[in-house]
């Protein structure tokens, strides 16, 4: 029987993948047979991650390509897409995972420069990667895109409002793109609640058990929880799913939690 979850022979580009959720996604896609390009701003960390990914998966180092740069930089986006197609011969899967949140507290006092930066990286850069990937490969050959949003884009967060608004925009962008890019290209999103990474430490490190107690599944997320869902969404097993945002939240939304 054909394994519809196999990604054998496909090439994936995962942004922001030197650690955390992006690294977990890259590892999972590699494990399903894809070749993977990873991005991130800090070159040494990215190179180390590429080495670790190949070693952990037990695959040839040539199956992982590291392209350092800032997702908000148009030249970097073009470079990452171009290098992926040049190295692997295709770009079948794009995962827009890079995201930032430099703003906490009441929106009325928010620094607008920080708010613009959030939207630039979390929304505009994601669309920029879609455009580049579509022109270079997806438009002619088809493929699949997943945007990493957040439960903060589905309901008010209280303290990280600009970030939540940017993730709501990313979810909306996902729906618009799904309508425009079918039938060749599927576009979906995932919306995680708190996943244990450096990015989210401030939300749980003070009392992990206490925070987890508010989730029906009584634990916080780990990168693999998100990675498995992304690997499913980009695979042929999800070939009739597009425009969807999959919550991966330990049940936090049904429990009425904010995060
Ligand atoms: N952790 C959570 O609880 C949670 C929940 C919901 C959604 N998310 C979303 O999941 C995604 C990943 O978050 P994470 O928790 O895995 O964060 P993380 O552990 O801090 O990892 C972030 C990764 O993205 C890279 N990165 C950051 N800014 C970048 C930029 N401007 N351009 C390119 N790469 C960049 C980082 O490397 P460099 O620093 O070297 O650039 C790193 O590899 C984000 O979109 C976040 O909004 C996270």
């Amino acid at each position: 029987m054909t394994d519809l979850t196999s990604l054998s022979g496909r090439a994936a580009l995962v942004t922001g993948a030197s650690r955390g959720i992006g690294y977990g996604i890259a590892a999972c896609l590699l494990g399903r047979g894809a070749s993977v390009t990873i991005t991130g701003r800090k070159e040494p960390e990215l190179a180390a991650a590429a080495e670790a990914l190949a070693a952990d998966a037990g695959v040839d180092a040539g199956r992982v390509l590291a392209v350092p740069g800032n997702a908000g930089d148009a030249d970097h986006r073009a470079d990452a897409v171009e290098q992926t197609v040049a190295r692997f011969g295709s770009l079948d899967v794009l995962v827009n995972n890079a995201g930032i949140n430099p703003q906490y507290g009441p929106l009325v006092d928010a620094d607008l420069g920080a708010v613009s930066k959030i939207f630039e990286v979390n929304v505009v850069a994601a669309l920029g990667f879609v455009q580049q990937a579509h022109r270079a490969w997806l438009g002619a050959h088809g493929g699949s895109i997943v945007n990493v949003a957040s439960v903060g884009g589905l309901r008010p967060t209280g303290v990280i409002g600009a970030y939540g608004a940017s993730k709501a925009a990313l979810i909306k962008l996902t729906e618009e793109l799904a309508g425009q890019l079918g039938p060749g290209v599927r576009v979906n999103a995932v919306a995680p609640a708190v996943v244990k990474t450096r990015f989210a430490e401030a939300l749980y490190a003070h009392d992990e058990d206490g925070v987890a107690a508010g989730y029906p599944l009584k634990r916080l997320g780990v990168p693999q929880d998100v990675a498995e869902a992304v690997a499913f969404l980009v695979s042929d097993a999800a070939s009739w799913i597009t425009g969807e945002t999959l919550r991966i939240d330990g049940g936090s939304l049904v429990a009425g939690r904010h995060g």
Side-chain angles (χ1 to χ4, degrees), residues 169-197:
L170 186 60
I171 289 167
K172 181 67 181 157
L173 195 71
T174 300
E175 293 171 357
E176 295 286 353
L177 286 167
Q180 293 177 20
L181 301 188
V185 181
R186 294 184 300 105
V187 190
N188 292 292
V190 291
V194 175
V195 177
K196 292 200 288 178
T197 68

Side-chain angles (χ1 to χ4, degrees), residues 16 18-19 21 41-42 70-71 97 149 163 167 193 195 197 199-200:
S18 61
R19 60 174 187 270
I21 292 171
R41 292 164 301 180
K42 297 180 206 87
N70 189 327
N97 168 75
Y163 171 80
K167 293 300 190 178
V195 177
T197 68
F199 179 83

Side-chain angles (χ1 to χ4, degrees), residues 7-217:
L7 299 175
S8 181
R10 305 208 185 154
L13 167 56
V14 185
T15 69
S18 61
R19 60 174 187 270
I21 292 171
Y23 183 95
I25 292 170
C28 199
L29 301 187
L30 205 54
R32 303 280 168 94
S35 296
V36 181
T37 297
I38 58 172
T39 76
R41 292 164 301 180
K42 297 180 206 87
E43 189 160 9
E45 281 88 339
L46 191 69
E51 228 173 83
L53 279 166
D56 288 353
V59 302
D60 189 281
R63 291 250 313 271
V64 186
L65 172 66
V67 183
N70 189 327
D73 172 0
D75 290 341
H76 161 68
R77 294 195 292 267
D79 185 37
V81 166
E82 204 175 291
Q83 284 203 46
T84 301
V85 177
R87 165 74 77 93
F88 302 128
S90 69
L91 198 178
D92 312 285
V93 170
L94 169 66
V95 182
N96 276 312
N97 168 75
I100 59 166
N101 179 34
Q103 192 271 328
Y104 288 86
L107 279 171
V108 284
D109 298 325
D111 176 89
L112 293 182
V115 173
S116 293
K117 198 149 189 228
I118 291 173
F119 275 78
E120 183 62 35
V121 174
N122 295 4
V123 185
V124 180
L127 177 57
F129 266 113
V130 170
Q131 291 181 343
Q132 286 291 342
H134 195 262
R135 286 170 199 146
W137 187 265
L138 294 172
H141 305 275
S144 183
I145 297 168
V146 170
N147 295 319
V148 179
S150 165
V151 290
L154 296 170
R155 57 179 184 254
T157 67
V159 288
I160 47 175
Y163 171 80
S166 76
K167 293 300 190 178
L170 186 60
I171 289 167
K172 181 67 181 157
L173 195 71
T174 300
E175 293 171 357
E176 295 286 353
L177 286 167
Q180 293 177 20
L181 301 188
V185 181
R186 294 184 300 105
V187 190
N188 292 292
V190 291
V194 175
V195 177
K196 292 200 288 178
T197 68
R198 195 189 299 176
F199 179 83
E201 246 171 15
L203 300 174
Y204 71 87
H206 60 287
D207 179 18
E208 184 178 332
D209 290 345
V211 177
Y215 287 65
L217 295 183

Side-chain angles (χ1 to χ4, degrees), residues 200-252:
E201 246 171 15
L203 300 174
Y204 71 87
H206 60 287
D207 179 18
E208 184 178 332
D209 290 345
V211 177
Y215 287 65
L217 295 183
K218 303 301 177 200
R219 71 170 174 85
L220 300 184
V222 293
Q224 192 181 0
D225 293 317
V226 181
E228 293 288 345
V230 171
F232 163 70
L233 285 171
V234 302
S235 77
D236 291 347
S239 65
W240 211 46
I241 301 176
T242 197
E244 177 65 1
T245 295
L246 179 60
R247 274 189 294 117
I248 305 166
D249 70 345
S252 76

